[in-house]
Amino acid sequence: DTEVTQTPKHLVMGMTNKKSLKCEQHMGHRAMYWYKQKAKKPPELMFVYSYEKLSINESVPSRFSPECPNSSLLNLHLHALQPEDSALYLCASSQAGLKKIPYTFGSGTRLTVV
Amino acid sequence: KNEVEQSPQNLTAQEGEFITINCSYSVGISALHWLQQHPGGGIVSLFMLSSGKKKHGRLIATINIQEKHSSLHITASHPRDSAVYICAVNSGGSNYKLTFGKGTLLTVNP
């Protein structure tokens, strides 16, 4: 298995809703990432988990809450989002602790906040 | 902070043409990545380079470390190659942070 699987592919949520995005990989990668991508812009790093511990938080608002329950799974919990949070949310994974690391990206979750 | 510049921003070609997309960066790197993203889709990693040249099918990527420059070539382009091509680099203290270029939108017409 050489894929990163993201679910759901599309999500529409209201500003008072709570929802979660899920990311799964079975490549034995111990680094997992969340990126946010607005239209026609490059991805912006949000969080990095390394060996199931939060390694990088790029000053992301607390309405986004990441969770890494095990080495294969990465979740992003969403609560009280704003319309400007509408974007493509990409998950990625890689080996951990190396300087030259190829990344594997998922196909993303298209999030619309109404 | 590393600056990553790509050129051109937009590129239109006829099917069969040879395509070149360029990437330059300002600070030394540990690795450079070429990524492909179809409209509305996820990202596919095409190449990771730290020196020399790599080839996969009709795609060729080269890097010149001294000149801080990389190129992505597509031979015999096809409409299915239409996508955004993104250059990204690993540099600095963190192994986990990528600095992305703004991307090159390639359209290949039949």
Side-chain angles (χ1 to χ4, degrees):
Chain A
D1 189 351
T2 58
E3 289 186 348
V4 170
T5 303
Q6 289 189 242
T7 54
K9 293 200 181 306
H10 300 275
L11 178 63
V12 179
M13 62 185 290
M15 290 189 283
T16 58
N17 290 160
K18 286 185 181 181
K19 296 286 185 184
S20 296
L21 309 185
K22 181 179 171 183
C23 173
E24 192 167 6
Q25 56 86 17
H26 297 284
M27 295 177 282
H29 289 171
R30 302 301 295 275
M32 295 185 77
Y33 309 75
W34 280 116
Y35 286 90
K36 173 183 177 181
Q37 188 179 27
K38 301 285 270 186
K40 301 189 178 181
K41 298 285 187 184
E44 299 170 27
L45 183 64
M46 299 175 72
F47 302 103
V48 180
Y49 273 82
S50 175
Y51 297 99
E52 296 86 69
K53 291 191 180 346
L54 185 63
S55 175
I56 295 175
N57 176 344
E58 292 286 90
S59 302
V60 178
S62 60
R63 58 185 183 269
F64 295 92
S65 175
E67 178 197 21
C68 190
N70 61 55
S71 60
S72 299
L73 273 177
L74 184 66
N75 298 319
L76 186 63
H77 303 297
L78 313 173
H79 173 54
L81 295 193
Q82 304 297 310
E84 59 264 29
D85 296 321
S86 299
L88 181 68
Y89 287 83
L90 291 160
C91 176
S93 71
S94 72
Q95 294 180 38
L98 302 175
K99 282 195 176 294
K100 300 172 186 178
I101 43 176
Y103 295 79
T104 303
F105 287 84
S107 56
T109 294
R110 176 74 58 187
L111 174 68
T112 303
V113 181
V114 297
Chain B
K1 184 185 173 185
N2 216 339
E3 303 288 336
V4 179
E5 299 287 338
Q6 283 186 239
S7 62
Q9 284 188 305
N10 294 280
L11 181 55
T12 300
Q14 289 301 119
E15 183 173 357
E17 286 185 357
F18 181 83
I19 304 289
T20 295
I21 299 170
N22 295 300
C23 175
S24 61
Y25 51 92
S26 57
V27 179
I29 62 170
S30 54
L32 182 143
H33 304 259
W34 282 104
L35 310 169
Q36 179 194 57
Q37 187 171 31
H38 283 98
I43 290 176
V44 173
S45 181
L46 299 175
F47 296 103
M48 184 191 71
L49 293 163
S50 55
S51 64
K53 177 179 174 178
K54 287 190 176 180
K55 184 176 190 287
H56 185 254
R58 295 179 295 105
L59 301 178
I60 302 166
T62 64
I63 188 167
N64 185 319
I65 296 295
Q66 286 73 31
E67 294 190 3
K68 296 185 176 62
H69 180 269
S70 176
S71 294
L72 176 69
H73 305 286
I74 304 175
T75 62
S77 59
H78 190 276
R80 64 176 175 266
D81 297 325
S82 298
V84 175
Y85 292 84
I86 305 169
C87 173
V89 300
N90 289 109
S91 61
S94 171
N95 294 341
Y96 299 126
K97 287 192 179 183
L98 283 173
T99 302
F100 292 88
K102 293 184 178 179
T104 295
L105 175 60
L106 172 64
T107 303
V108 182
N109 294 318

